């Protein structure tokens, strides 16, 4: 077969073939490996063993994309026309707003590229290969299909390998599959439909060898590996618009049409009435600029940035600004189990002997003895500590297999350490015999045979069981099996321990060879140790709070269904659901499910087990198809595609892989699921403040345009000039409106259901409030202006009264917007000191506009008397009372 045709027409999987068949298929030798020349030819044919770099937009295109918004288009055109009219200061302000928001968006747009870079970096390692019969180290990029590759404890697997030899080989695949325990590997042939997480004859690129050694043949490199499949999923997962950006886009489109329509009407009516076209064009531009809420992009950015700071103080780091609001609007949280809802640390929870049963506290890795053990329990713990290759550091951290570390910690909590016995010899654990055995020298002379392993295998070797005094007694196998089944049914891993005093010569050799010789003379069962990766201490309460806030919580894991269900019940995910009611689904069931049935099934279920990366992505998409706003949490490489597809991806900062962090919108510094509940609270507060700003700015901006339009339609004198409109527009947006970004959260924010993601920003109450306040501003301004003219006030002074009325009503309305439906005093007078500073600043600006000669000349204003100020305050108070009556009508309904 020519090098270029290698693997063409063959199966894409190798777990269902014998090692000999795989070697023939890949045209390699079990002992000699490939020749250097053949490896070079295959490298040319298949390319380097690295993930393909994606095609991404250049910096210029990425920057230009930030300008793709209807409101921005209108601002750019308005700015250009303002330049042509010689109004350079106004044009500079307009263009500055456009530029700042474009730069912020440009700097944020790098999430997908960073995630792919992280995945590519995971395979940049060295590999030990056999070529032409000699071992040599090569960079992982130079591996090719057919390379004979050797791995040992501590190695990161450089490519997808089919095992052909192994010795005590275990691999940590948690980042790829979600499996919380290292997976024992062997060369056995498997069924074709075996899931990736269960292919124990395969090693996958990016996973970590924790113990043993192995030899495998490379079957896939680069983009053809399972890691490469995840890379494609990350690349294909669309970076979705957030609920906020979708609503703002709809709102902007609607607003643009209205503003352009009003500007066109203004120009046409003015010209029809005989006004100069140039003057009417200036008025139309002023109307457009006045009606456009230039402060909205800045308000959104600042409000979200403040939310970022608040979340950071609660141990959540935001990588993309809109994610702040998105989490607040989440309706479903899809959480990975291992390391997110659980501690990612195996812990012995129950100890059982025929005479004693102890349930250990769920949390804490060390501490004083928690129970006084009888002799059987003492031996059970001693065996776990000594028939063991792990060790504890001085700080209490475990080094070695997580299961053995858990047994060491359990023994230490009873004051038992492995230092009292001296190991003479050992038969290490293998997946075939499923137990480990050691011979230890005991104090005072003599030896003891210690055995730990799978309950079925250890029981086969036992002829007795220990009583409370450590004396062998007849064994009740049915009772032991029943207890083991009970513990395993709770999702725990159960190991049996056994001991024999002064074992016969040659017994360890027999056990090491796995020969079936029946029970070992004198070997007595000491007891059972049951362990699991326990839930985090705060997980249950966090789940309860999320549910109280109307959020659904779903567990998505690559772990086994029994384990996942046990954890789910411990944290309250399945409290109100009976087993078998569709609450738990496994990956094979999802795979067989049609697209039309999947969304409803996903909606029903709370736990998804043995799920592949592609299925995680499919689950998120199914929930989004049901109009959910999905927050996905995770820490592994296998979570990256779903993190990117979700409306907000939440990665773990401590135990998370770089791929997960880069794909996520938010990173939890403490890896604690409970932090998500705090982040949801902050997100809801951010969204509330954005709505408050919109409810404040819409009527004020609309009134700024309408006051010009109404005057032109009436053929009357303009109560406010275009330059004065720009003053109001620019100063109030900064000094007044932006201050709402610092509003504290309202009481009961986590006691209401999530906002419907399909609900528009422009709800009926918002539209009514906008029209009401706009009408109050336009009518009040027109009436007061006409009154001032009627009593002989000069037109410049009358316009100054109109401008100050406009700003005063906006300031009064600002306080009203602190609580959209309830009385404004609920928020507290001094709870937002920035708002008071903003109002004071605006007041100083208005006094300057009214009384400084330079400002009078620039903006065509004039000083006014104290009687005029009283009339301004009276009209503003009346307008506020009308708004208060509207709020009372709504009472506590959500806007």
């Amino acid at each position: 077969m020519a090098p270029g045709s290698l693997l063409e027409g063959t199966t894409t999987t190798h777990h269902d073939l014998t090692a000999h068949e795989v070697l023939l298929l890949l045209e390699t030798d079990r002992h000699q490996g490939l020749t250097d020349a053949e490896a070079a030819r295959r490298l040319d044919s298949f390319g380097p063993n690295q993930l393909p770099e994606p095609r991404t937009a250049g910096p210029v295109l990425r920057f230009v994309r930030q300008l793709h918004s209807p409101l921005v288009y209108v601002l750019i055109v308005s700015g250009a026309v303002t330049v042509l009219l010689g109004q350079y200061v106004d044009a500079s302000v307009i263009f500055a707003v456009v530029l700042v928001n474009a730069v912020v968006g440009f700097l944020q747009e790098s999430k997908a590229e960073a995630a792919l870079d992280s995945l590519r970096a995971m395979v940049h390692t060295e590999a030990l290969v056999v070529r032409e019969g000699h071992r040599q180290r090569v960079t992982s990029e130079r591996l090719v299909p057919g390379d004979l590759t050797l791995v040992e404890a501590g190695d990161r697997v450089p490519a997808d390998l089919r095992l052909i030899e192994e010795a005590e080989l275990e691999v940590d695949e948690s980042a790829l599959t979600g499996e919380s325990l290292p997976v024992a590997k062997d060369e056995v042939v498997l069924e074709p439909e075996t899931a990736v997480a269960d292919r124990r004859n395969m090693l996958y690129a990016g996973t970590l060898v924790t113990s043993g050694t192995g030899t495998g043949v490379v079957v896939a490199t680069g983009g053809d590996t399972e890691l490469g499949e995840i890379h494609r999923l990350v690349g294909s997962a669309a970076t979705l618009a957030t609920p906020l950006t979708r609503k703002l886009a709809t709102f902007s489109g609607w607003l643009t049409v209205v503003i352009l329509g009003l500007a066109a009407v203004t120009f046409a009516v003015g010209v029809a009435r005989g006004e100069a076209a140039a003057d009417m064009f200036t008025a139309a531009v002023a109307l457009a600029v006045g009606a456009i809420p230039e402060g909205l992009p800045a308000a959104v950015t600042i409000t979200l940035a403040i939310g970022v700071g608040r979340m950071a103080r609660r141990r959540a780091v935001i990588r993309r600004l809109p994610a702040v609001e998105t989490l607040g609007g989440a309706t479903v949280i899809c959480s990975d189990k291992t390391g997110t809802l659980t501690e990612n640390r195996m812990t012995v929870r129950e100890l059982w002997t025929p005479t004693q049963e102890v349930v250990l506290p769920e949390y804490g890795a060390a501490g004083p003895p928690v129970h006084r053990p009888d002799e059987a329990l003492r031996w059970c713990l001693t065996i776990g500590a000594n028939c063991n290759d792990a060790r504890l550091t001085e700080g209490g951290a475990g080094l070695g297999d997580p299961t053995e570390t858990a047994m060491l910690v359990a023994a230490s909590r009873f004051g038992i350490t492995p230092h009292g016995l001296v190991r003479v010899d050992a038969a290490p654990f293998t997946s075939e015999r499923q137990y480990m055995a050691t011979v230890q020298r005991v104090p005072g002379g003599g030896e003891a045979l210690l055995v730990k392993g799978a309950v079925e295998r250890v029981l086969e070797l036992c002829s007795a069981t220990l009583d409370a005094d450590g004396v062998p007694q007849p064994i009740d196998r049915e009772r032991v099996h029943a207890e083991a089944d009970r513990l395993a049914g709770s999702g725990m891993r159960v190991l049996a321990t056994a001991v024999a005093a002064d074992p016969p010569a040659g017994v360890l050799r027999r056990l090491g060879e796995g020969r079936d010789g029946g029970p070992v003379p004198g070997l007595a069962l000491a007891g059972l140790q049951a362990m699991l990766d326990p839930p985090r201490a705060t997980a249950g309460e966090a789940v309860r709070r999320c549910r109280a806030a109307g959020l659904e919580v779903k567990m998505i894991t690559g772990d086994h269904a029994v384990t996942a269900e046990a954890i789910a019940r411990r944290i309250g995910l399945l409290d109100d659901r009976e087993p078998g009611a569709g609450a738990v689904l496994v990956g094979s069931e999802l795979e067989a499910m049609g697209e039309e049935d999947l969304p409803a099934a996903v909606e029903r279920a709370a736990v998804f087990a043995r799920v592949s990366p592609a299925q995680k992505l499919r689950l998120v998409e199914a929930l989004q198809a049901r109009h959910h706003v999905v927050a996905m949490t995770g820490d592994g490489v296998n979570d990256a595609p779903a993190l990117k597809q979700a409306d907000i991806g939440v990665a773990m900062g401590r135990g998370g892989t770089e791929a997960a962090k880069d794909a996520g919108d938010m990173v939890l510094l403490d890896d604690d699921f409970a932090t998500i509940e705090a982040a949801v609270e902050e997100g809801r507060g951010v969204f509330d403040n954005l709505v408050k700003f919109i409810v404040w700015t819409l009527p004020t901006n609309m009134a700024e345009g309408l006051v010009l339009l109404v005057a032109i339609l009436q053929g009357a004198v303009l109560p406010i000039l275009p330059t004065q409109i720009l003053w109001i527009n620019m100063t109030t947006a900064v000094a007044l409106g932006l201050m709402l970004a610092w509003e504290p959260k309202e009481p009961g924010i986590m006691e209401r259901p999530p906002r419907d993601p399909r609900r528009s920003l422009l709800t009926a109450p918002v539209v009514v409030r906008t029209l009401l306040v706009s009408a109050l501003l336009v009518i009040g301004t027109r009436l007061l202006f006409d009154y001032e003219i009627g009593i002989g006030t000069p037109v410049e002074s009358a316009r100054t009264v109109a401008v100050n009325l406009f700003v005063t009503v906006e300031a009064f309305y600002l306080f009203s917007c602190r609580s959209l439906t309830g009385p404004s005093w609920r928020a507290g007078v001094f709870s937002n000191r920035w708002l008071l500073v903003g109002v004071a600043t605006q007041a100083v600006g208005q006094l300057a506009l009214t009384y400084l000669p330079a400002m009078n000349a620039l903006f065509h204003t004039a000083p006014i008397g104290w009687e005029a100020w009283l009339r301004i305050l009276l009209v503003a108070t009346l307008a506020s009372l009308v708004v208060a009556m509207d709020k009372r009508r709504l009472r506590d309904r959500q806007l």
Side-chain angles (χ1 to χ4, degrees):
M1 181 181 293
S5 63
L6 185 72
L7 297 180
E8 291 179 6
T10 66
T11 59
T12 56
T13 59
H14 301 80
H15 61 276
D16 53 343
L17 303 176
T18 66
H20 179 67
E21 289 172 329
V22 173
L23 291 168
L24 288 176
L25 179 68
L26 296 171
E27 297 181 353
T28 190
D29 185 88
R30 186 183 189 110
H31 304 290
Q32 298 296 313
L34 298 173
T35 65
D36 289 334
E38 178 63 17
R41 283 194 295 271
R42 295 188 183 188
L43 185 62
D44 289 336
S45 175
F46 293 102
N49 176 34
Q50 60 187 26
L51 299 176
E53 296 192 14
R55 296 179 60 184
T56 57
V60 175
L61 179 58
R62 288 171 56 202
F63 182 81
V64 171
R65 280 203 302 240
Q66 311 308 317
L67 307 177
H68 181 55
S69 166
L71 278 180
V72 173
Y73 295 155
V74 175
L75 283 174
I76 292 174
V77 172
S78 299
V81 173
T82 307
V83 169
L84 294 176
L85 295 174
Q87 299 172 359
Y88 301 116
V89 175
D90 299 334
S92 299
V93 173
I94 295 171
F95 285 129
V97 171
V98 173
L99 180 64
V100 168
N101 284 282
V103 169
V104 171
F106 173 80
L107 295 176
Q108 292 292 330
E109 193 180 299
S110 60
K111 179 176 66 170
E113 291 79 4
L116 296 176
D117 288 343
S118 176
L119 285 169
R120 284 194 295 274
M122 291 188 67
V123 295
H124 290 178
T125 57
E126 283 195 337
L128 182 62
V129 300
V130 176
R131 290 181 180 171
E132 298 186 349
H134 301 290
R135 295 186 179 190
Q136 55 182 288
R137 286 202 171 271
V138 299
T139 59
S140 61
E141 289 89 345
R142 300 188 63 81
L143 282 180
V144 296
D147 257 328
L148 204 61
T149 305
L150 290 76
V151 295
E152 62 183 6
D155 286 349
R156 190 169 293 280
V157 179
D160 285 2
L161 310 178
R162 169 61 162 90
L163 273 175
I164 57 176
E165 292 179 3
E166 61 84 26
E168 323 298 339
L169 184 64
E170 292 190 351
V171 179
D172 179 0
E173 296 182 340
S174 61
L176 183 69
T177 66
E179 174 67 62
S180 56
L181 292 171
V183 179
K185 296 291 184 175
D186 56 43
E187 317 95 281
V188 65
V189 179
L190 302 172
E191 293 297 324
E193 62 274 11
T194 304
V196 170
D198 297 319
R199 295 177 187 172
R200 61 182 190 273
N201 61 8
M202 297 289 296
L203 303 182
Y204 292 109
T207 59
L208 185 68
V209 179
T210 58
S211 64
T213 60
T215 302
V217 59
V218 175
V219 298
T221 59
D224 295 326
T225 62
E226 287 295 324
L227 193 64
E229 176 62 22
I230 294 177
H231 173 274
R232 279 192 294 277
L233 292 172
V234 173
S236 64
T239 302
L240 297 182
T242 68
L244 174 67
T245 56
R246 285 194 293 264
K247 290 170 183 174
L248 285 178
T250 302
F251 168 66
S252 298
W254 174 89
L255 194 59
T256 301
V257 172
V258 172
I259 291 171
L260 291 179
L262 290 176
V265 169
T266 300
F267 179 79
V269 171
V271 171
R273 288 184 176 275
E275 301 289 343
D279 291 342
M280 288 303 96
F281 193 78
T282 301
V285 169
L287 183 150
V289 174
I292 290 175
E294 290 95 337
L296 180 58
V300 170
T301 301
I302 291 173
T303 302
L304 294 176
I306 292 170
V308 167
R310 289 175 175 175
M311 287 188 177
R313 289 192 289 272
R314 302 185 78 166
R315 311 294 291 170
V317 174
I318 299 297
R319 298 185 62 250
R320 201 162 60 93
L321 282 181
V324 180
E325 175 272 335
T326 308
L327 189 58
T331 59
V332 176
I333 298 177
C334 296
S335 176
D336 184 47
K337 176 184 72 69
T338 306
T340 305
L341 290 167
T342 66
E343 296 278 1
N344 198 17
R345 186 192 72 240
M346 292 300 290
T347 304
V348 174
R349 284 287 288 120
E350 290 195 37
L351 299 164
W352 179 89
T353 71
T355 59
Q356 198 170 16
E357 183 176 344
V358 178
V359 177
L360 298 181
E362 189 150 340
Y363 306 103
V370 295
H371 199 281
R372 182 176 180 83
D374 61 19
E375 280 301 298
L377 185 58
R378 189 181 66 80
W379 269 113
C380 179
L381 293 163
T382 300
I383 296 164
N386 287 272
C387 189
N388 192 315
D389 289 328
R391 64 187 179 89
L392 297 179
T393 65
E394 291 184 2
L399 297 176
D401 181 84
T403 299
E404 292 192 325
T405 299
M407 299 181 89
L408 273 178
V409 171
S412 71
R413 299 175 75 173
F414 289 81
I416 296 173
T417 70
H419 304 304
L421 306 180
V422 178
R423 182 179 296 188
V424 177
D425 202 355
F429 178 91
T430 66
S431 56
E432 288 83 11
R433 57 177 176 260
Q434 297 183 324
Y435 58 77
M436 175 181 181
T438 63
V439 173
Q440 312 273 158
R441 187 173 295 112
V442 298
E447 294 180 342
L449 171 68
L450 310 181
V451 180
K452 82 165 191 304
V455 176
E456 298 82 0
R457 295 291 289 122
V458 173
L459 275 181
E460 291 174 1
L461 303 174
C462 292
S463 56
T465 187
L466 296 182
D467 64 14
D469 297 321
V471 178
Q473 301 291 339
I475 189 169
D476 185 346
R477 299 180 187 274
E478 290 186 4
R479 182 187 175 197
V480 176
H481 277 298
E483 289 297 326
D485 290 343
R486 176 184 65 82
L487 295 169
S490 300
M492 291 190 281
R493 185 182 188 190
V494 185
L495 295 180
T497 58
V499 60
D502 297 318
V507 67
L508 194 63
R509 179 181 300 175
R510 173 200 144 186
L511 293 175
E513 294 174 354
R515 296 199 305 267
D516 186 12
V520 173
L523 188 66
L525 178 76
L528 307 177
Q529 296 197 29
M531 63 199 72
L532 82 166
D533 178 14
R536 288 181 175 272
T538 54
E541 178 63 14
V543 168
R544 187 196 66 77
R545 288 179 180 173
C546 286
R547 285 187 159 184
L551 280 80
E552 295 183 39
V553 180
K554 298 181 184 293
M555 178 195 293
I556 302 179
T557 179
D559 217 337
H560 293 281
V562 172
T563 304
E565 182 174 350
I567 295 296
R569 293 197 180 279
R570 284 173 179 267
I571 62 176
L573 271 183
L574 295 175
D575 275 354
D576 55 351
R577 307 191 192 208
E578 291 298 323
V584 181
L585 291 176
V586 296
S588 57
E589 294 173 318
L590 294 172
E591 194 68 31
M593 206 170 287
E595 293 299 327
E596 64 280 357
D597 299 325
L598 182 66
V602 170
E603 185 95 49
R604 255 191 331 269
V607 177
F608 303 89
R610 304 307 277 174
V611 175
S612 69
Q615 289 167 341
K616 286 189 178 186
L617 184 61
R618 194 173 170 219
L619 288 173
V620 172
E621 291 172 335
L623 288 168
Q624 289 171 334
R626 303 277 285 195
H627 306 291
H628 281 292
V629 177
V630 181
M632 169 73 188
T633 76
D635 58 357
V637 175
N638 60 327
D639 297 320
L643 286 173
K644 184 167 180 284
Q645 174 66 31
D647 295 281
I648 177 170
V650 183
M652 301 298 114
R654 286 184 181 174
T657 61
E658 289 304 311
K661 294 175 191 175
D662 291 338
D665 302 286
M666 183 173 84
V667 179
L668 302 184
L669 295 181
D670 53 8
D671 289 10
D672 194 341
F673 182 84
T675 304
I676 298 173
E677 187 266 339
V680 168
E681 182 180 9
E682 295 296 343
R684 289 188 175 187
V686 165
F687 188 83
D688 279 359
N689 288 349
L690 287 173
V691 171
K692 289 173 184 178
F693 178 84
I694 290 171
V695 169
W696 176 84
T697 196
L698 270 185
T700 57
N701 280 96
M702 181 177 289
E704 289 167 16
L706 287 177
V707 75
L708 294 178
L709 177 60
V710 170
I712 292 171
L713 289 176
Q714 290 178 335
V717 178
L718 293 179
I720 301 178
L721 295 175
T723 54
Q724 294 167 347
I725 288 290
L726 290 174
W727 163 266
I728 297 171
N729 191 289
M730 297 302 177
T731 59
T732 58
V734 175
L736 300 183
L738 287 183
M739 299 304 108
L740 290 171
W742 280 272
E743 276 298 298
K745 298 181 294 293
E746 294 191 37
I749 197 170
M750 289 299 287
E751 296 172 6
R752 67 190 191 208
R755 188 181 182 92
D756 187 342
R758 291 167 290 181
R759 193 180 189 194
S760 170
L761 280 175
L762 298 176
T763 59
V766 170
V767 172
V768 170
R769 179 72 57 80
T770 298
L771 295 175
L772 174 64
V773 176
S774 296
L776 290 172
L777 278 166
V778 173
I779 294 171
T781 301
R782 186 77 244 182
L783 290 177
L784 192 54
F785 175 79
D786 289 343
Y787 176 81
E788 294 293 334
I789 294 295
I791 64 175
T793 303
V795 68
E796 290 82 4
S797 296
R799 284 178 174 148
T800 304
V801 170
V803 170
N804 281 303
L805 173 65
F806 219 96
V807 173
T808 304
V809 172
E810 288 191 20
F812 280 30
Y813 182 50
L814 181 73
F815 283 98
S816 175
C817 287
R818 297 189 67 194
S819 180
L820 294 176
T821 56
S824 56
W825 52 262
R826 280 186 182 177
V829 177
F830 299 104
S831 60
N832 183 356
R833 297 181 184 274
W834 284 107
L835 185 138
L836 300 178
V837 171
V839 171
T841 301
Q842 185 69 47
V844 171
Q846 292 308 118
L847 291 174
L849 181 75
T850 304
Y851 297 109
L852 288 182
M855 298 291 279
N856 294 158
L858 185 60
F859 290 98
H860 308 289
T861 57
I864 59 176
W866 64 269
E867 300 91 345
W869 285 111
L870 287 179
R871 289 190 289 271
I872 289 170
L873 291 174
L874 176 62
V875 174
T877 301
L878 290 174
S880 297
L881 290 174
V882 173
V883 173
M885 292 172 64
D886 180 60
K887 290 170 68 172
R888 184 173 179 81
R889 176 182 63 84
L890 290 175
R891 288 186 169 86
D892 289 324
R893 285 168 51 196
Q894 191 174 4
L895 280 185

